[in-house]
Amino acid sequence: MSFLIEFFKFLSVRKKYWLMPIIIVLVLFGGLIILAEGTAIAPFIYTIF
């Protein structure tokens, strides 16, 4: 948890706000892949990529 706090402080101090959308999209795709790993939705995820 301290890593996340430190990372957000880094983003605010260094004014790297453009990294936030990239990180959010990566987290969402990772969560989607993890949640649909063993379900019937899995074949449809492969069509996204």
Side-chain angles (χ1 to χ4, degrees):
M1 193 65 172
S2 64
F3 171 74
L4 292 176
I5 295 169
E6 197 171 322
F7 183 70
F8 286 121
K9 285 181 183 178
F10 167 78
L11 291 178
S12 64
V13 169
R14 302 282 187 200
K15 308 289 192 250
K16 302 284 186 188
Y17 299 116
W18 57 271
L19 285 174
M20 287 305 293
I22 298 170
I23 293 168
I24 291 171
V25 168
L26 286 175
V27 168
L28 288 175
F29 273 133
L32 178 69
I33 291 171
I34 289 171
L35 288 175
E37 188 174 293
T39 64
I41 303 171
F44 299 108
I45 292 177
Y46 293 113
T47 61
I48 294 174
F49 303 105

